[in-house]
Coordinates of all heavy atoms in Angstrom, one line a residue:
D581 N 35.9 81.0 121.3 CA 34.6 81.7 121.7 C 35.0 82.7 122.8 O 35.1 82.3 124.0 CB 33.7 80.6 122.2 CG 32.3 81.2 122.6 OD1 32.1 82.4 122.4 OD2 31.5 80.4 123.1
L582 N 35.1 83.9 122.4 CA 35.6 85.0 123.3 C 34.5 85.6 124.1 O 34.8 86.2 125.1 CB 36.4 86.1 122.5 CG 37.6 85.6 121.7 CD1 38.2 86.7 120.9 CD2 38.7 85.1 122.7
N583 N 33.3 85.5 123.6 CA 32.2 86.2 124.3 C 31.1 85.2 124.9 O 30.0 85.6 125.3 CB 31.5 87.2 123.4 CG 31.0 86.6 122.1 OD1 31.1 85.4 121.9 ND2 30.6 87.5 121.2
N584 N 31.5 83.9 124.9 CA 30.6 82.9 125.5 C 29.2 82.8 124.9 O 28.2 82.6 125.6 CB 30.5 83.1 127.0 CG 31.8 82.7 127.7 OD1 32.6 81.9 127.3 ND2 32.0 83.2 128.9
D585 N 29.1 83.1 123.5 CA 27.8 83.0 122.9 C 27.7 81.7 122.1 O 26.8 81.5 121.3 CB 27.7 84.1 121.9 CG 28.7 84.2 120.8 OD1 29.6 83.4 120.8 OD2 28.5 85.0 119.9
Q586 N 28.6 80.7 122.4 CA 28.6 79.4 121.7 C 28.8 79.5 120.2 O 28.5 78.6 119.5 CB 27.2 78.7 122.0 CG 26.8 78.6 123.4 CD 27.8 78.0 124.3 OE1 28.3 76.9 124.0 NE2 28.2 78.7 125.5
M587 N 29.5 80.6 119.8 CA 29.8 80.8 118.4 C 31.3 81.3 118.4 O 31.6 82.3 119.0 CB 28.9 81.9 117.8 CG 29.2 82.1 116.3 SD 28.2 81.2 115.3 CE 28.5 81.8 113.7
P588 N 32.1 80.5 117.7 CA 33.5 80.9 117.7 C 33.8 82.1 116.9 O 33.2 82.4 115.9 CB 34.3 79.7 117.1 CG 33.2 79.0 116.3 CD 31.9 79.2 117.0
E589 N 34.8 82.9 117.4 CA 35.3 84.1 116.7 C 36.6 83.7 116.0 O 37.3 82.7 116.4 CB 35.5 85.3 117.6 CG 34.3 86.0 118.0 CD 33.4 85.2 119.0 OE1 33.9 84.8 120.1 OE2 32.2 85.1 118.8
L590 N 37.0 84.5 115.0 CA 38.3 84.3 114.3 C 39.2 85.3 115.0 O 39.0 86.5 115.0 CB 38.2 84.6 112.8 CG 37.6 83.5 112.0 CD1 37.2 84.1 110.6 CD2 38.5 82.4 111.8
V591 N 40.3 84.8 115.5 CA 41.4 85.6 116.1 C 42.6 85.7 115.1 O 43.1 84.6 114.7 CB 41.8 85.1 117.4 CG1 42.9 86.1 118.1 CG2 40.6 85.0 118.4
L592 N 43.0 86.9 114.7 CA 44.0 87.0 113.6 C 45.2 87.6 114.2 O 45.2 88.7 114.8 CB 43.4 88.0 112.6 CG 42.0 87.7 112.1 CD1 41.5 88.8 111.2 CD2 41.9 86.4 111.3
F593 N 46.4 86.9 114.0 CA 47.7 87.4 114.5 C 48.5 87.8 113.3 O 48.8 87.1 112.4 CB 48.4 86.2 115.2 CG 47.7 85.7 116.5 CD1 46.8 84.7 116.4 CD2 47.9 86.3 117.7 CE1 46.1 84.2 117.5 CE2 47.2 85.9 118.8 CZ 46.3 84.8 118.7
S594 N 48.8 89.1 113.3 CA 49.4 89.7 112.1 C 50.9 90.2 112.4 O 51.1 90.7 113.5 CB 48.6 90.9 111.6 OG 49.2 91.6 110.6
S595 N 51.7 90.1 111.4 CA 53.1 90.5 111.6 C 53.3 91.9 111.0 O 54.3 92.6 111.3 CB 54.1 89.5 110.9 OG 53.9 89.5 109.5
G596 N 52.4 92.3 110.1 CA 52.6 93.6 109.4 C 53.5 93.3 108.2 O 53.7 92.2 107.8
Y597 N 53.9 94.4 107.5 CA 54.8 94.3 106.3 C 56.0 93.4 106.6 O 56.7 93.6 107.6 CB 55.2 95.6 105.8 CG 54.0 96.5 105.4 CD1 53.9 97.8 105.8 CD2 53.1 96.0 104.4 CE1 52.9 98.6 105.4 CE2 52.1 96.8 104.0 CZ 51.9 98.1 104.5 OH 50.9 98.9 104.1
D598 N 56.2 92.4 105.7 CA 57.4 91.6 105.8 C 58.6 92.2 105.0 O 59.1 91.6 104.1 CB 57.1 90.2 105.3 CG 58.1 89.2 105.8 OD1 59.0 89.5 106.6 OD2 58.0 88.0 105.3
G599 N 58.9 93.4 105.4 CA 60.0 94.1 104.8 C 60.5 95.2 105.7 O 59.7 95.6 106.6
P600 N 61.7 95.7 105.5 CA 62.2 96.7 106.4 C 61.3 97.9 106.4 O 60.8 98.3 105.4 CB 63.6 97.0 105.8 CG 63.9 95.8 105.0 CD 62.6 95.3 104.5
P601 N 61.2 98.6 107.6 CA 61.8 98.2 108.9 C 60.9 97.2 109.7 O 61.1 97.2 110.9 CB 61.8 99.6 109.6 CG 60.6 100.3 109.1 CD 60.4 99.8 107.6
F602 N 60.1 96.5 109.1 CA 59.2 95.5 109.8 C 58.5 96.2 110.9 O 58.7 96.0 112.1 CB 60.0 94.4 110.3 CG 60.8 93.7 109.3 CD1 62.2 93.9 109.2 CD2 60.3 92.8 108.4 CE1 63.0 93.3 108.2 CE2 61.0 92.1 107.5 CZ 62.4 92.4 107.4
P603 N 57.6 97.2 110.6 CA 56.9 98.0 111.6 C 56.0 97.3 112.5 O 55.6 97.8 113.6 CB 56.2 99.1 110.8 CG 55.9 98.4 109.5 CD 57.1 97.5 109.2
G604 N 55.5 96.1 112.2 CA 54.6 95.3 113.0 C 53.2 95.6 112.8 O 52.8 96.5 112.0
D605 N 52.3 95.0 113.6 CA 50.9 95.1 113.4 C 50.2 94.7 114.7 O 50.8 94.4 115.7 CB 50.4 94.2 112.2 CG 49.2 94.8 111.5 OD1 48.5 95.7 112.1 OD2 48.9 94.4 110.4
A606 N 48.9 94.7 114.6 CA 48.1 94.4 115.8 C 47.5 93.0 115.8 O 47.7 92.2 114.8 CB 46.9 95.4 116.0

């Protein structure tokens, strides 16, 4: 619950493409 509205949000952790050069993601 990131905004204290008593409703949970989904937080997504991404790696980006799993292949060279593995540029990453947000």
Side-chain angles (χ1 to χ4, degrees):
D581 185 3
L582 299 175
N583 54 8
N584 288 335
D585 64 351
Q586 310 304 309
M587 182 94 173
E589 283 73 53
L590 283 166
V591 184
L592 314 170
F593 298 91
S594 176
S595 66
Y597 294 129
D598 196 6
F602 306 100
D605 210 341

